[in-house]
Amino acid sequence: MSTWVEKLRQYNAAKAQENSGPKDSSEERKMFEEYYLEWGGGRKRDPSYSSIPCFYTPLPPEQDLILQKLREESRAAFLTRKSAALLENEELQKLLDLLEDNLSPPIEDRMINFEDYLKVKDQVSPKCKDYFSAITFSKLYKKDPHGRIAIVEFFHYVMRKVWLQQSRIGLSLYDISGLGYLREADLENYILEMIPTLPQLEGLEKSFYSFYVCTAVRKFFFFLDPLRTGKIKIQDILCCSFLDELLELREEGLPRERQDSNWFSAASALRVYGQYLTLDTDHNGMLSKSELGRYGSGTLTSVFLDRVFQECLTYEGEMDYKTYLDFILALENRKTPQALQYLFKILDCEGEGALTVFSLNYFFRAVQEELSRHGQDVVDMKDLINEVFDMVKPDKSGRITLKDLIRCCQGDIIVSILIDVNGFWTYENREALVAAENINNR
């Protein structure tokens, strides 16, 4: 018995010693890699990953403060480098002097050929050289018999490029997300901080700043954000003319006519806000339907005003200043696609995405009632509706879509005769009005 026990002990000791020795690591590693790949820890990548660069990097999570701060500092450093690469006033003046010194004959034309153009390129600072490309020269070339371009046009081209780059950097500083767009609050901050730099706005009281900023920002968002996403691409801001109009207020001697026609001028902002206060007869800071009905000459139909308050954002049935601005921008710019889109939504009382005979009849009836009330002759409704369809020539008979209304180039006229008694009367008497005007001009 003892012999058997002793042998068993010897066997167990040998087995333990065998297990404590070196193992076959290759088999274990193979098993580890198999399970690691199976559980998604290191998926095998396509060979193309070694040659295709990474083009998308997700934003760091909000809770990762270190990465957020790193991204913010990186963007600031990038914008600083871009700003340092812009041409200074001294460099622009030197560029103009060099162009003047290298005019191509006949020099009285103040033009330069490509050979002299390249000579100037060799003399300018490194920051200027990128503007002296063959493509730029060919764009500015206007079939001059001597193969030249006007140095004034080239200099204006450089100035415009510098201004665009400077404006993009300035707008990007307010791009909190760093994704190339500005939210409404971002653009409000940009314009608010710009006010002290615009001589034409020096007379504004600080108490009016918030209303001025709201008035200015609404134009950007009404025309550049028609889908109401709440953000605008910086590229779209630079491509439109609104920033030019805003920066036009830097001119100290801006004529009164240009101030009145500039939406961003102090005179225009005070006019719009003054109209709002005049309409607000109960002085509660909001407009009811009856108060809005006094807008302009008071000839907007009640049916149209009902639809405005049904479709637009209101607070307990009343309209605030921001909603009023959209309303004004639509009525004052009826020829633009954005205004037609705004008004089309109101006119589409059936919600079908098209104006039908029912829709036209619905709005025309209100116009006819107002004309009858003022003792005016009424027009046959059927003939009027047929005339509208003839003007638009929609793709689908009996249905006028927004696309049809924009394409016909008479959308502003059609909208006016549907919503405004005065607009309808003016259209119906257009021939007599033209004849009277011709007589007065003789």
Side-chain angles (χ1 to χ4, degrees):
M1 182 70 178
S2 60
T3 306
W4 181 80
V5 172
E6 187 65 28
K7 287 183 178 181
L8 184 58
R9 286 175 178 172
Q10 291 176 359
Y11 174 80
N12 288 336
K15 196 68 176 175
Q17 185 176 3
E18 179 182 342
N19 290 337
S20 63
K23 300 180 180 179
D24 187 357
S25 59
S26 61
E27 185 176 348
E28 289 186 2
R29 185 168 187 81
K30 182 179 179 181
M31 185 179 297
F32 169 77
E33 290 179 352
E34 181 181 342
Y35 282 109
Y36 182 69
L37 294 173
E38 182 180 342
W39 294 341
R43 295 183 179 87
K44 291 183 178 179
R45 293 193 169 193
D46 190 273
S48 63
Y49 277 87
S50 60
S51 57
I52 299 178
C54 179
F55 56 87
Y56 172 72
T57 303
L59 293 175
E62 293 184 3
Q63 61 271 21
D64 196 333
L65 299 180
I66 295 179
L67 283 180
Q68 288 280 2
K69 189 65 177 177
L70 176 61
R71 184 170 182 272
E72 181 181 334
E73 293 295 330
S74 299
R75 286 189 68 248
F78 171 76
L79 294 174
T80 301
R81 289 198 306 272
K82 286 292 184 181
S83 182
L86 296 176
L87 296 179
E88 302 289 343
N89 290 335
E90 296 79 8
E91 293 173 299
L92 288 170
Q93 184 59 50
K94 185 177 180 181
L95 170 62
L96 182 59
D97 293 340
L98 287 172
L99 290 170
E100 294 279 6
D101 294 340
N102 290 270
L103 294 174
S104 303
I107 59 174
E108 58 270 13
D109 294 337
R110 291 171 55 82
M111 302 181 79
I112 189 172
N113 60 30
F114 191 67
E115 183 179 354
D116 292 327
Y117 175 81
L118 294 179
K119 290 179 181 178
V120 176
K121 179 180 179 180
D122 293 336
Q123 300 176 55
V124 296
S125 65
K127 290 194 291 186
C128 284
K129 292 185 183 297
D130 291 339
Y131 299 104
F132 286 80
S133 66
I135 294 177
T136 302
F137 189 91
S138 62
K139 285 181 179 178
L140 299 176
Y141 176 67
K142 295 181 179 179
K143 298 181 179 180
D144 177 71
H146 301 284
R148 304 169 302 169
I149 62 172
I151 64 168
V152 174
E153 290 188 14
F154 175 72
F155 186 71
H156 285 169
Y157 166 81
V158 174
M159 290 278 289
R160 179 69 179 174
K161 292 283 285 185
V162 171
W163 178 84
L164 284 173
Q165 293 166 355
Q166 188 176 26
S167 299
R168 176 148 198 167
I169 292 170
L171 289 167
S172 297
L173 292 173
Y174 295 85
D175 177 13
I176 305 301
S177 64
L179 296 177
Y181 61 78
L182 296 183
R183 302 168 302 169
E184 193 166 346
D186 301 331
L187 192 55
E188 286 175 351
N189 291 332
Y190 174 76
I191 293 178
L192 181 62
E193 295 183 16
M194 185 184 286
I195 291 177
T197 69
L198 304 175
Q200 290 297 329
L201 301 181
E202 287 180 355
L204 284 182
E205 297 182 4
K206 289 190 176 181
S207 59
F208 187 68
Y209 278 12
S210 59
F211 296 102
Y212 174 82
V213 169
C214 180
T215 304
V217 169
R218 279 327 298 165
K219 181 165 187 177
F220 282 95
F221 274 84
F222 181 83
F223 287 101
L224 302 182
D225 183 32
L227 299 180
R228 304 298 181 259
T229 61
K231 56 189 180 183
I232 307 175
K233 290 182 180 179
I234 292 177
Q235 185 176 356
D236 291 342
I237 296 176
L238 295 172
C239 290
C240 74
S241 62
F242 301 155
L243 205 57
D244 289 330
E245 294 176 23
L246 181 62
L247 296 179
E248 187 180 48
L249 303 179
R250 288 178 175 174
E251 299 180 23
E252 295 186 2
L254 192 66
R256 183 68 184 181
E257 298 77 17
R258 287 170 62 185
Q259 291 185 46
D260 293 339
S261 62
N262 189 330
W263 174 268
F264 302 102
S265 69
S268 176
L270 290 169
R271 171 185 65 83
V272 174
Y273 188 65
Q275 289 175 347
Y276 183 79
L277 293 180
T278 302
L279 294 174
D280 182 22
T281 54
D282 59 6
H283 307 294
N284 67 343
M286 309 280 278
L287 297 182
S288 63
K289 188 181 75 170
S290 60
E291 290 173 332
L292 186 63
R294 297 170 51 244
Y295 169 77
S297 56
T299 55
L300 296 175
T301 65
S302 59
V303 168
F304 170 67
L305 293 173
D306 287 338
R307 287 291 299 151
V308 169
F309 278 80
Q310 288 172 8
E311 291 294 333
C312 299
L313 178 64
T314 57
Y315 301 88
E316 297 182 357
E318 295 197 317
M319 178 183 290
D320 69 347
Y321 183 57
K322 187 179 291 187
T323 307
Y324 172 76
L325 288 172
D326 286 343
F327 178 78
I328 294 299
L329 286 165
L331 292 185
E332 292 186 356
N333 302 274
R334 299 182 198 185
K335 292 185 177 182
T336 63
Q338 295 87 345
L340 289 176
Q341 179 181 351
Y342 176 95
L343 295 167
F344 182 87
K345 183 180 178 182
I346 295 171
L347 295 175
D348 182 17
C349 55
E350 297 177 281
E352 293 187 356
L355 304 183
T356 62
V357 173
F358 174 84
S359 305
L360 300 179
N361 187 64
Y362 179 72
F363 286 98
F364 274 139
R365 190 184 302 116
V367 174
Q368 297 281 48
E369 290 174 357
E370 287 294 320
L371 289 174
S372 298
R373 193 163 63 87
H374 289 86
Q376 298 290 331
D377 296 333
V378 296
V379 182
D380 183 80
M381 195 85 68
K382 186 176 180 181
D383 292 341
L384 197 56
I385 292 174
N386 289 335
E387 187 173 348
V388 169
F389 279 110
D390 289 340
M391 291 169 66
V392 178
K393 295 181 176 58
D395 289 336
K396 190 173 182 180
S397 178
R399 293 175 61 85
I400 300 174
T401 63
L402 176 60
K403 182 179 178 181
D404 296 327
L405 198 62
I406 295 173
R407 187 190 60 228
C408 75
C409 298
Q410 300 188 77
D412 58 313
I413 298 175
I414 294 168
V415 167
S416 296
I417 63 179
L418 286 171
I419 69 174
D420 189 350
V421 177
N422 188 45
F424 179 86
W425 185 89
T426 301
Y427 175 74
E428 282 297 305
N429 296 273
R430 59 192 180 280
E431 294 179 359
L433 294 173
V434 170
E437 185 179 351
N438 290 336
I439 293 174
N440 293 333
N441 292 334
R442 289 178 181 175

